[in-house]
Amino acid sequence: MKIKVGVIYGGETVEHEVSIISAIQAINKLDQEKYEIIPIYITKDREWYTGNMLKDIEIYSDMNLIKKYGKNVILYAKDGSFVLQNKKFPKNIITDIDIAFPIMHGTNGEDGVIQGYLQAIGIPFVGGNIYASVVGQDKVFMKDIFEKEKLPMTKYTWFYDCDYKNDSESVIKEIKKLKYPVIVKPATTGSSIGIKVADNDKELTEAIDNAISYDNKILVEEVVTDLKEVNISVVGNYEHQKLSVIEEVISGNKFLTYDEKYIQGNKGKLKGGFKYPVKGGSKGMASANRKIPAEIPDKQKKEIEEIATKAFKALGSAGTCRIDFLIDEKSKKVYINEINSIPGSLAYYLWEPLGVSYSELLDDMINIGIKDYKRRLSKTYTFDTNILKGFTNGGLKGLKGVKGKLG
Ligand SMILES: Nc1ncnc2c1ncn2[C@@H]1O[C@H](COP(=O)(O)OP(=O)(O)O)[C@@H](O)[C@H]1O
Ligand SMILES: [Mg+2]
């Protein structure tokens, strides 16, 4: 019997479109002999849809078609299985699902929100658990953990929007302990959205105002000026980790922009060579201009592999992650930049040079998801207690302190 995989994507995030691309790529590559693939698309206004026509990327250019021909559903646990049910008349069950596979980027998808929902209803799912997902999305939390592990990072500070509004002087004073140029980032967005480099005080306030429109938590870092950006992917869980080749991503701007990540390659600037283009549109993160493998000395390669493994383990990540690094070409110093818990295109292109096909990568991820689910089941999450017994006897015995307050 085939395993029914519900691929969940889209959602309320600035990376909605990128998520659609990543998900459709994966849907096309999941082994159809092994899996029955059920697309579950979440619109920007949080409605869930299913239907085979969602496997075709062209449908997403007209939301009305999806609303008209897709089935508006909810996913929940029913009689020991997990079902997708029509929200509208005749409210029939459309299918059951064995395992959920979130391929979502950014807020409400990669950040623990969807993982929390999936865990709450009890369905097995692919990828990191709630904790790894939350920390992997919040650049400040992430840095706290990296710091604990003594991983090398650029100098940084962070603040809340309210503190900036109440006392901008103190916040600016703190930022000025860093050296210009600095890079200002909303703590929880992705795809370079809301990020600006500032070379002076005027640019700094502009960059802060811009970042604040995306998030209430803002990170400011020193810029690595002679920059080489390299990424590596890790597959596994807290027990085992496998490392991909390292890529170098190439930017013609001050930093790698949204356009460079997802759009330029489709304007013919790239030599191409990616085997899984999505018909008529962006190839997602696979579009960016890159060198594989990165041309770096062995010593740096080793350092990056070690840091990546430590970061993956420390966060308790699972499935596949892409971990990004900044190399200062002058000092040859390596800094960890961030971890992407559900990377664009699931970073499949970093595995192919090692002979791992995209389908095999997806298989691996599903197997890890099943294993992690079984482990969760084997742990004890409840225990028997008679603490509530007093209530049924009509009293509050044993809760003396509470009695007075409730009485
Ligand atoms: N400290 C830094 N120095 C130089 N460039 C940086 C620095 N931090 C980020 N960048 C650039 O900005 C891009 C986006 O920043 P990143 O932290 O990766 O955010 P996102 O989650 O949006 O990808 C990076 O890919 C890199 O090009
Ligand atoms: Mg990044």
Side-chain angles (χ1 to χ4, degrees), residues 117-161:
Y117 180 67
L118 297 173
Q119 196 159 324
I121 65 172
I123 189 170
F125 61 92
V126 177
N129 63 18
I130 302 167
Y131 314 108
S133 306
V134 170
V135 177
Q137 186 64 29
D138 186 310
K139 292 184 164 70
V140 174
F141 287 160
M142 198 189 306
K143 280 185 185 291
D144 286 345
I145 292 193
F146 292 165
E147 207 162 276
K148 202 88 199 278
E149 293 293 310
K150 300 191 173 56
L151 305 183
M153 281 183 290
T154 52
K155 283 194 188 138
Y156 72 96
T157 183
W158 73 273
F159 59 89
Y160 282 124
D161 59 354

mmCIF file of all heavy atoms in Angstrom, residues 117-161:
data_model
loop_
_atom_site.group_PDB
_atom_site.id
_atom_site.type_symbol
_atom_site.label_atom_id
_atom_site.label_comp_id
_atom_site.label_asym_id
_atom_site.label_seq_id
_atom_site.Cartn_x
_atom_site.Cartn_y
_atom_site.Cartn_z
ATOM 1 N N TYR A 117 0.440 22.769 15.172
ATOM 2 C CA TYR A 117 -0.883 22.253 14.815
ATOM 3 C C TYR A 117 -0.816 20.755 14.529
ATOM 4 O O TYR A 117 -1.636 19.975 15.016
ATOM 5 C CB TYR A 117 -1.430 23.009 13.596
ATOM 6 C CG TYR A 117 -2.792 22.508 13.179
ATOM 7 C CD1 TYR A 117 -3.887 22.713 14.007
ATOM 8 C CD2 TYR A 117 -2.979 21.795 11.999
ATOM 9 C CE1 TYR A 117 -5.134 22.229 13.663
ATOM 10 C CE2 TYR A 117 -4.222 21.311 11.642
ATOM 11 C CZ TYR A 117 -5.298 21.529 12.473
ATOM 12 O OH TYR A 117 -6.535 21.040 12.142
ATOM 13 N N LEU A 118 0.187 20.357 13.747
ATOM 14 C CA LEU A 118 0.310 18.948 13.369
ATOM 15 C C LEU A 118 0.548 18.087 14.611
ATOM 16 O O LEU A 118 -0.030 17.011 14.761
ATOM 17 C CB LEU A 118 1.433 18.755 12.350
ATOM 18 C CG LEU A 118 1.203 19.480 11.009
ATOM 19 C CD1 LEU A 118 2.444 19.388 10.126
ATOM 20 C CD2 LEU A 118 -0.013 18.930 10.269
ATOM 21 N N GLN A 119 1.384 18.581 15.507
ATOM 22 C CA GLN A 119 1.653 17.813 16.721
ATOM 23 C C GLN A 119 0.411 17.774 17.623
ATOM 24 O O GLN A 119 0.143 16.772 18.272
ATOM 25 C CB GLN A 119 2.850 18.400 17.473
ATOM 26 C CG GLN A 119 3.377 17.397 18.486
ATOM 27 C CD GLN A 119 4.804 17.689 18.891
ATOM 28 O OE1 GLN A 119 5.612 18.123 18.073
ATOM 29 N NE2 GLN A 119 5.108 17.470 20.149
ATOM 30 N N ALA A 120 -0.335 18.874 17.628
ATOM 31 C CA ALA A 120 -1.539 18.901 18.471
ATOM 32 C C ALA A 120 -2.573 17.871 18.006
ATOM 33 O O ALA A 120 -3.222 17.237 18.838
ATOM 34 C CB ALA A 120 -2.146 20.303 18.468
ATOM 35 N N ILE A 121 -2.726 17.688 16.698
ATOM 36 C CA ILE A 121 -3.691 16.670 16.254
ATOM 37 C C ILE A 121 -3.056 15.279 16.244
ATOM 38 O O ILE A 121 -3.748 14.277 16.120
ATOM 39 C CB ILE A 121 -4.349 17.003 14.882
ATOM 40 C CG1 ILE A 121 -3.337 16.998 13.735
ATOM 41 C CG2 ILE A 121 -5.104 18.305 14.945
ATOM 42 C CD1 ILE A 121 -3.992 17.119 12.366
ATOM 43 N N GLY A 122 -1.728 15.210 16.361
ATOM 44 C CA GLY A 122 -1.056 13.912 16.532
ATOM 45 C C GLY A 122 -0.568 13.248 15.256
ATOM 46 O O GLY A 122 -0.101 12.115 15.290
ATOM 47 N N ILE A 123 -0.635 13.948 14.141
ATOM 48 C CA ILE A 123 -0.226 13.328 12.862
ATOM 49 C C ILE A 123 1.316 13.326 12.748
ATOM 50 O O ILE A 123 1.966 14.288 13.164
ATOM 51 C CB ILE A 123 -0.874 14.094 11.675
ATOM 52 C CG1 ILE A 123 -0.649 13.346 10.354
ATOM 53 C CG2 ILE A 123 -0.363 15.524 11.561
ATOM 54 C CD1 ILE A 123 -1.469 13.899 9.183
ATOM 55 N N PRO A 124 1.897 12.238 12.208
ATOM 56 C CA PRO A 124 3.347 12.274 11.944
ATOM 57 C C PRO A 124 3.643 13.363 10.915
ATOM 58 O O PRO A 124 2.834 13.603 10.025
ATOM 59 C CB PRO A 124 3.636 10.900 11.331
ATOM 60 C CG PRO A 124 2.437 10.071 11.544
ATOM 61 C CD PRO A 124 1.283 10.965 11.792
ATOM 62 N N PHE A 125 4.783 13.999 11.045
ATOM 63 C CA PHE A 125 5.152 14.991 10.021
ATOM 64 C C PHE A 125 6.646 15.020 9.771
ATOM 65 O O PHE A 125 7.434 14.590 10.597
ATOM 66 C CB PHE A 125 4.607 16.385 10.360
ATOM 67 C CG PHE A 125 5.111 16.977 11.643
ATOM 68 C CD1 PHE A 125 6.240 17.786 11.658
ATOM 69 C CD2 PHE A 125 4.440 16.760 12.840
ATOM 70 C CE1 PHE A 125 6.700 18.360 12.838
ATOM 71 C CE2 PHE A 125 4.889 17.320 14.029
ATOM 72 C CZ PHE A 125 6.014 18.117 14.034
ATOM 73 N N VAL A 126 6.987 15.543 8.599
ATOM 74 C CA VAL A 126 8.383 15.594 8.156
ATOM 75 C C VAL A 126 9.005 16.908 8.639
ATOM 76 O O VAL A 126 8.357 17.941 8.642
ATOM 77 C CB VAL A 126 8.442 15.519 6.610
ATOM 78 C CG1 VAL A 126 9.880 15.632 6.109
ATOM 79 C CG2 VAL A 126 7.799 14.234 6.107
ATOM 80 N N GLY A 127 10.267 16.841 9.022
ATOM 81 C CA GLY A 127 11.005 18.055 9.371
ATOM 82 C C GLY A 127 11.148 18.262 10.860
ATOM 83 O O GLY A 127 10.791 17.395 11.659
ATOM 84 N N GLY A 128 11.666 19.435 11.203
ATOM 85 C CA GLY A 128 11.956 19.736 12.602
ATOM 86 C C GLY A 128 10.695 19.826 13.452
ATOM 87 O O GLY A 128 9.608 20.115 12.943
ATOM 88 N N ASN A 129 10.854 19.586 14.758
ATOM 89 C CA ASN A 129 9.717 19.728 15.663
ATOM 90 C C ASN A 129 9.474 21.206 15.976
ATOM 91 O O ASN A 129 10.122 22.087 15.415
ATOM 92 C CB ASN A 129 9.935 18.895 16.932
ATOM 93 C CG ASN A 129 11.142 19.384 17.733
ATOM 94 O OD1 ASN A 129 11.617 20.504 17.550
ATOM 95 N ND2 ASN A 129 11.631 18.552 18.617
ATOM 96 N N ILE A 130 8.543 21.458 16.882
ATOM 97 C CA ILE A 130 8.164 22.849 17.165
ATOM 98 C C ILE A 130 9.377 23.661 17.627
ATOM 99 O O ILE A 130 9.626 24.766 17.135
ATOM 100 C CB ILE A 130 7.111 22.922 18.280
ATOM 101 C CG1 ILE A 130 5.875 22.129 17.881
ATOM 102 C CG2 ILE A 130 6.729 24.353 18.594
ATOM 103 C CD1 ILE A 130 4.938 21.894 19.030
ATOM 104 N N TYR A 131 10.136 23.113 18.561
ATOM 105 C CA TYR A 131 11.223 23.884 19.168
ATOM 106 C C TYR A 131 12.286 24.255 18.133
ATOM 107 O O TYR A 131 12.720 25.403 18.061
ATOM 108 C CB TYR A 131 11.851 23.095 20.323
ATOM 109 C CG TYR A 131 10.808 22.503 21.232
ATOM 110 C CD1 TYR A 131 10.560 21.135 21.254
ATOM 111 C CD2 TYR A 131 10.034 23.331 22.029
ATOM 112 C CE1 TYR A 131 9.570 20.604 22.063
ATOM 113 C CE2 TYR A 131 9.052 22.813 22.842
ATOM 114 C CZ TYR A 131 8.814 21.441 22.862
ATOM 115 O OH TYR A 131 7.835 20.923 23.647
ATOM 116 N N ALA A 132 12.707 23.267 17.355
ATOM 117 C CA ALA A 132 13.731 23.528 16.329
ATOM 118 C C ALA A 132 13.206 24.551 15.327
ATOM 119 O O ALA A 132 13.951 25.409 14.848
ATOM 120 C CB ALA A 132 14.106 22.236 15.632
ATOM 121 N N SER A 133 11.926 24.463 15.020
ATOM 122 C CA SER A 133 11.353 25.366 14.013
ATOM 123 C C SER A 133 11.286 26.795 14.525
ATOM 124 O O SER A 133 11.618 27.738 13.812
ATOM 125 C CB SER A 133 9.948 24.894 13.615
ATOM 126 O OG SER A 133 9.982 23.552 13.207
ATOM 127 N N VAL A 134 10.854 26.967 15.779
ATOM 128 C CA VAL A 134 10.756 28.315 16.354
ATOM 129 C C VAL A 134 12.137 28.965 16.371
ATOM 130 O O VAL A 134 12.328 30.089 15.912
ATOM 131 C CB VAL A 134 10.200 28.263 17.803
ATOM 132 C CG1 VAL A 134 10.324 29.618 18.480
ATOM 133 C CG2 VAL A 134 8.753 27.793 17.816
ATOM 134 N N VAL A 135 13.103 28.240 16.898
ATOM 135 C CA VAL A 135 14.443 28.800 17.051
ATOM 136 C C VAL A 135 15.084 29.032 15.676
ATOM 137 O O VAL A 135 15.813 29.994 15.463
ATOM 138 C CB VAL A 135 15.308 27.885 17.940
ATOM 139 C CG1 VAL A 135 16.726 28.404 18.044
ATOM 140 C CG2 VAL A 135 14.694 27.791 19.333
ATOM 141 N N GLY A 136 14.780 28.158 14.727
ATOM 142 C CA GLY A 136 15.338 28.292 13.388
ATOM 143 C C GLY A 136 14.782 29.488 12.631
ATOM 144 O O GLY A 136 15.340 29.912 11.627
ATOM 145 N N GLN A 137 13.675 30.036 13.076
ATOM 146 C CA GLN A 137 13.069 31.162 12.364
ATOM 147 C C GLN A 137 13.417 32.507 12.986
ATOM 148 O O GLN A 137 13.421 33.526 12.316
ATOM 149 C CB GLN A 137 11.542 30.988 12.346
ATOM 150 C CG GLN A 137 10.800 32.014 11.507
ATOM 151 C CD GLN A 137 11.142 31.905 10.038
ATOM 152 O OE1 GLN A 137 11.465 30.820 9.546
ATOM 153 N NE2 GLN A 137 11.092 33.017 9.324
ATOM 154 N N ASP A 138 13.715 32.497 14.289
ATOM 155 C CA ASP A 138 13.980 33.741 14.982
ATOM 156 C C ASP A 138 15.500 33.931 15.073
ATOM 157 O O ASP A 138 16.193 33.214 15.789
ATOM 158 C CB ASP A 138 13.345 33.686 16.381
ATOM 159 C CG ASP A 138 13.456 35.001 17.120
ATOM 160 O OD1 ASP A 138 14.569 35.554 17.175
ATOM 161 O OD2 ASP A 138 12.429 35.465 17.652
ATOM 162 N N LYS A 139 15.992 34.908 14.320
ATOM 163 C CA LYS A 139 17.448 35.069 14.207
ATOM 164 C C LYS A 139 18.095 35.407 15.552
ATOM 165 O O LYS A 139 19.277 35.149 15.745
ATOM 166 C CB LYS A 139 17.778 36.144 13.178
ATOM 167 C CG LYS A 139 17.428 35.731 11.753
ATOM 168 C CD LYS A 139 17.854 36.792 10.759
ATOM 169 C CE LYS A 139 17.891 36.286 9.340
ATOM 170 N NZ LYS A 139 16.586 35.996 8.743
ATOM 171 N N VAL A 140 17.325 35.980 16.478
ATOM 172 C CA VAL A 140 17.884 36.314 17.791
ATOM 173 C C VAL A 140 17.987 35.052 18.657
ATOM 174 O O VAL A 140 19.043 34.766 19.242
ATOM 175 C CB VAL A 140 17.053 37.420 18.485
ATOM 176 C CG1 VAL A 140 17.553 37.662 19.902
ATOM 177 C CG2 VAL A 140 17.097 38.717 17.670
ATOM 178 N N PHE A 141 16.925 34.275 18.719
ATOM 179 C CA PHE A 141 16.973 32.999 19.468
ATOM 180 C C PHE A 141 18.107 32.120 18.941
ATOM 181 O O PHE A 141 18.839 31.468 19.683
ATOM 182 C CB PHE A 141 15.660 32.216 19.314
ATOM 183 C CG PHE A 141 14.498 32.791 20.071
ATOM 184 C CD1 PHE A 141 13.196 32.465 19.707
ATOM 185 C CD2 PHE A 141 14.689 33.625 21.165
ATOM 186 C CE1 PHE A 141 12.112 32.978 20.404
ATOM 187 C CE2 PHE A 141 13.609 34.145 21.866
ATOM 188 C CZ PHE A 141 12.314 33.819 21.472
ATOM 189 N N MET A 142 18.167 32.087 17.603
ATOM 190 C CA MET A 142 19.167 31.256 16.932
ATOM 191 C C MET A 142 20.578 31.636 17.396
ATOM 192 O O MET A 142 21.383 30.792 17.740
ATOM 193 C CB MET A 142 19.017 31.534 15.428
ATOM 194 C CG MET A 142 19.617 30.529 14.514
ATOM 195 S SD MET A 142 19.583 31.121 12.808
ATOM 196 C CE MET A 142 17.900 31.535 12.492
ATOM 197 N N LYS A 143 20.810 32.956 17.431
ATOM 198 C CA LYS A 143 22.133 33.431 17.841
ATOM 199 C C LYS A 143 22.422 33.083 19.294
ATOM 200 O O LYS A 143 23.560 32.798 19.655
ATOM 201 C CB LYS A 143 22.254 34.938 17.605
ATOM 202 C CG LYS A 143 22.542 35.275 16.144
ATOM 203 C CD LYS A 143 22.777 36.750 15.968
ATOM 204 C CE LYS A 143 22.940 37.150 14.522
ATOM 205 N NZ LYS A 143 24.174 36.667 13.900
ATOM 206 N N ASP A 144 21.389 33.113 20.144
ATOM 207 C CA ASP A 144 21.577 32.731 21.554
ATOM 208 C C ASP A 144 22.121 31.306 21.640
ATOM 209 O O ASP A 144 23.020 31.029 22.428
ATOM 210 C CB ASP A 144 20.245 32.803 22.317
ATOM 211 C CG ASP A 144 19.824 34.237 22.580
ATOM 212 O OD1 ASP A 144 20.669 35.138 22.436
ATOM 213 O OD2 ASP A 144 18.635 34.457 22.914
ATOM 214 N N ILE A 145 21.563 30.435 20.840
ATOM 215 C CA ILE A 145 22.011 29.035 20.876
ATOM 216 C C ILE A 145 23.396 28.894 20.266
ATOM 217 O O ILE A 145 24.257 28.204 20.801
ATOM 218 C CB ILE A 145 20.971 28.120 20.196
ATOM 219 C CG1 ILE A 145 19.726 28.106 21.077
ATOM 220 C CG2 ILE A 145 21.527 26.711 19.961
ATOM 221 C CD1 ILE A 145 18.717 27.079 20.782
ATOM 222 N N PHE A 146 23.631 29.576 19.162
ATOM 223 C CA PHE A 146 24.960 29.520 18.537
ATOM 224 C C PHE A 146 26.022 30.026 19.522
ATOM 225 O O PHE A 146 27.120 29.493 19.581
ATOM 226 C CB PHE A 146 25.011 30.382 17.268
ATOM 227 C CG PHE A 146 24.173 29.867 16.116
ATOM 228 C CD1 PHE A 146 23.877 30.692 15.028
ATOM 229 C CD2 PHE A 146 23.691 28.564 16.104
ATOM 230 C CE1 PHE A 146 23.116 30.231 13.964
ATOM 231 C CE2 PHE A 146 22.920 28.097 15.047
ATOM 232 C CZ PHE A 146 22.637 28.939 13.979
ATOM 233 N N GLU A 147 25.659 31.063 20.271
ATOM 234 C CA GLU A 147 26.607 31.643 21.217
ATOM 235 C C GLU A 147 26.963 30.620 22.293
ATOM 236 O O GLU A 147 28.120 30.459 22.659
ATOM 237 C CB GLU A 147 25.969 32.872 21.853
ATOM 238 C CG GLU A 147 26.979 33.895 22.308
ATOM 239 C CD GLU A 147 26.319 35.253 22.522
ATOM 240 O OE1 GLU A 147 26.158 35.997 21.534
ATOM 241 O OE2 GLU A 147 25.943 35.543 23.666
ATOM 242 N N LYS A 148 25.939 29.922 22.765
ATOM 243 C CA LYS A 148 26.133 28.895 23.793
ATOM 244 C C LYS A 148 27.084 27.803 23.294
ATOM 245 O O LYS A 148 27.870 27.256 24.047
ATOM 246 C CB LYS A 148 24.755 28.313 24.106
ATOM 247 C CG LYS A 148 24.576 27.629 25.421
ATOM 248 C CD LYS A 148 24.173 28.595 26.512
ATOM 249 C CE LYS A 148 24.421 28.070 27.905
ATOM 250 N NZ LYS A 148 23.386 27.181 28.396
ATOM 251 N N GLU A 149 26.973 27.524 21.999
ATOM 252 C CA GLU A 149 27.831 26.488 21.400
ATOM 253 C C GLU A 149 29.192 27.054 20.981
ATOM 254 O O GLU A 149 29.986 26.356 20.358
ATOM 255 C CB GLU A 149 27.145 25.896 20.159
ATOM 256 C CG GLU A 149 25.891 25.097 20.457
ATOM 257 C CD GLU A 149 26.178 23.821 21.235
ATOM 258 O OE1 GLU A 149 27.057 23.058 20.824
ATOM 259 O OE2 GLU A 149 25.505 23.604 22.258
ATOM 260 N N LYS A 150 29.382 28.331 21.245
ATOM 261 C CA LYS A 150 30.627 29.033 20.892
ATOM 262 C C LYS A 150 30.911 29.002 19.384
ATOM 263 O O LYS A 150 32.050 28.828 18.941
ATOM 264 C CB LYS A 150 31.811 28.469 21.673
ATOM 265 C CG LYS A 150 31.653 28.597 23.175
ATOM 266 C CD LYS A 150 32.966 28.259 23.860
ATOM 267 C CE LYS A 150 32.958 28.529 25.343
ATOM 268 N NZ LYS A 150 31.915 27.882 26.135
ATOM 269 N N LEU A 151 29.855 29.121 18.597
ATOM 270 C CA LEU A 151 30.039 29.148 17.138
ATOM 271 C C LEU A 151 30.376 30.583 16.723
ATOM 272 O O LEU A 151 29.820 31.537 17.278
ATOM 273 C CB LEU A 151 28.778 28.655 16.424
ATOM 274 C CG LEU A 151 28.274 27.264 16.844
ATOM 275 C CD1 LEU A 151 27.058 26.851 16.016
ATOM 276 C CD2 LEU A 151 29.378 26.224 16.691
ATOM 277 N N PRO A 152 31.278 30.756 15.759
ATOM 278 C CA PRO A 152 31.704 32.113 15.401
ATOM 279 C C PRO A 152 30.595 32.888 14.683
ATOM 280 O O PRO A 152 29.988 32.383 13.738
ATOM 281 C CB PRO A 152 32.888 31.862 14.456
ATOM 282 C CG PRO A 152 32.668 30.481 13.911
ATOM 283 C CD PRO A 152 31.940 29.711 14.962
ATOM 284 N N MET A 153 30.348 34.116 15.167
ATOM 285 C CA MET A 153 29.300 34.957 14.569
ATOM 286 C C MET A 153 29.817 36.382 14.415
ATOM 287 O O MET A 153 30.699 36.797 15.149
ATOM 288 C CB MET A 153 28.087 35.000 15.497
ATOM 289 C CG MET A 153 27.217 33.786 15.418
ATOM 290 S SD MET A 153 25.798 33.996 16.480
ATOM 291 C CE MET A 153 26.515 33.905 18.081
ATOM 292 N N THR A 154 29.183 37.142 13.532
ATOM 293 C CA THR A 154 29.531 38.565 13.425
ATOM 294 C C THR A 154 29.005 39.270 14.683
ATOM 295 O O THR A 154 28.085 38.771 15.329
ATOM 296 C CB THR A 154 28.847 39.203 12.194
ATOM 297 O OG1 THR A 154 27.452 38.908 12.266
ATOM 298 C CG2 THR A 154 29.411 38.668 10.900
ATOM 299 N N LYS A 155 29.581 40.438 15.001
ATOM 300 C CA LYS A 155 29.110 41.193 16.176
ATOM 301 C C LYS A 155 27.693 41.691 15.889
ATOM 302 O O LYS A 155 27.401 42.144 14.779
ATOM 303 C CB LYS A 155 30.025 42.379 16.430
ATOM 304 C CG LYS A 155 31.307 41.969 17.080
ATOM 305 C CD LYS A 155 32.023 43.201 17.624
ATOM 306 C CE LYS A 155 33.398 42.804 18.099
ATOM 307 N NZ LYS A 155 34.410 43.765 17.732
ATOM 308 N N TYR A 156 26.849 41.670 16.915
ATOM 309 C CA TYR A 156 25.462 42.074 16.696
ATOM 310 C C TYR A 156 24.839 42.623 17.963
ATOM 311 O O TYR A 156 25.355 42.454 19.066
ATOM 312 C CB TYR A 156 24.638 40.890 16.186
ATOM 313 C CG TYR A 156 24.369 39.845 17.247
ATOM 314 C CD1 TYR A 156 23.172 39.851 17.968
ATOM 315 C CD2 TYR A 156 25.325 38.876 17.553
ATOM 316 C CE1 TYR A 156 22.940 38.894 18.953
ATOM 317 C CE2 TYR A 156 25.095 37.931 18.542
ATOM 318 C CZ TYR A 156 23.897 37.946 19.233
ATOM 319 O OH TYR A 156 23.664 37.011 20.213
ATOM 320 N N THR A 157 23.688 43.248 17.764
ATOM 321 C CA THR A 157 22.838 43.632 18.883
ATOM 322 C C THR A 157 21.394 43.521 18.390
ATOM 323 O O THR A 157 21.164 43.357 17.193
ATOM 324 C CB THR A 157 23.159 45.070 19.356
ATOM 325 O OG1 THR A 157 22.345 45.366 20.492
ATOM 326 C CG2 THR A 157 22.884 46.108 18.283
ATOM 327 N N TRP A 158 20.445 43.577 19.297
ATOM 328 C CA TRP A 158 19.045 43.535 18.862
ATOM 329 C C TRP A 158 18.178 44.352 19.809
ATOM 330 O O TRP A 158 18.582 44.639 20.928
ATOM 331 C CB TRP A 158 18.547 42.096 18.742
ATOM 332 C CG TRP A 158 18.313 41.413 20.061
ATOM 333 C CD1 TRP A 158 19.236 40.736 20.796
ATOM 334 C CD2 TRP A 158 17.085 41.349 20.793
ATOM 335 N NE1 TRP A 158 18.667 40.265 21.943
ATOM 336 C CE2 TRP A 158 17.349 40.615 21.968
ATOM 337 C CE3 TRP A 158 15.786 41.830 20.569
ATOM 338 C CZ2 TRP A 158 16.364 40.363 22.920
ATOM 339 C CZ3 TRP A 158 14.803 41.578 21.509
ATOM 340 C CH2 TRP A 158 15.090 40.845 22.669
ATOM 341 N N PHE A 159 16.996 44.716 19.329
ATOM 342 C CA PHE A 159 16.087 45.520 20.168
ATOM 343 C C PHE A 159 14.642 45.294 19.702
ATOM 344 O O PHE A 159 14.399 44.791 18.601
ATOM 345 C CB PHE A 159 16.451 47.004 20.086
ATOM 346 C CG PHE A 159 16.394 47.556 18.687
ATOM 347 C CD1 PHE A 159 15.233 48.096 18.159
ATOM 348 C CD2 PHE A 159 17.519 47.511 17.858
ATOM 349 C CE1 PHE A 159 15.187 48.582 16.862
ATOM 350 C CE2 PHE A 159 17.475 47.997 16.552
ATOM 351 C CZ PHE A 159 16.304 48.531 16.062
ATOM 352 N N TYR A 160 13.706 45.719 20.580
ATOM 353 C CA TYR A 160 12.278 45.677 20.217
ATOM 354 C C TYR A 160 11.855 47.028 19.648
ATOM 355 O O TYR A 160 12.392 48.076 20.057
ATOM 356 C CB TYR A 160 11.430 45.408 21.456
ATOM 357 C CG TYR A 160 11.403 43.971 21.913
ATOM 358 C CD1 TYR A 160 11.770 43.629 23.211
ATOM 359 C CD2 TYR A 160 10.964 42.959 21.062
ATOM 360 C CE1 TYR A 160 11.723 42.311 23.644
ATOM 361 C CE2 TYR A 160 10.917 41.643 21.494
ATOM 362 C CZ TYR A 160 11.300 41.319 22.780
ATOM 363 O OH TYR A 160 11.243 40.029 23.198
ATOM 364 N N ASP A 161 10.848 47.026 18.779
ATOM 365 C CA ASP A 161 10.344 48.281 18.200
ATOM 366 C C ASP A 161 9.859 49.250 19.284
ATOM 367 O O ASP A 161 10.099 50.447 19.225
ATOM 368 C CB ASP A 161 9.254 48.020 17.146
ATOM 369 C CG ASP A 161 8.044 47.272 17.687
ATOM 370 O OD1 ASP A 161 8.078 46.833 18.861
ATOM 371 O OD2 ASP A 161 7.065 47.121 16.940
#
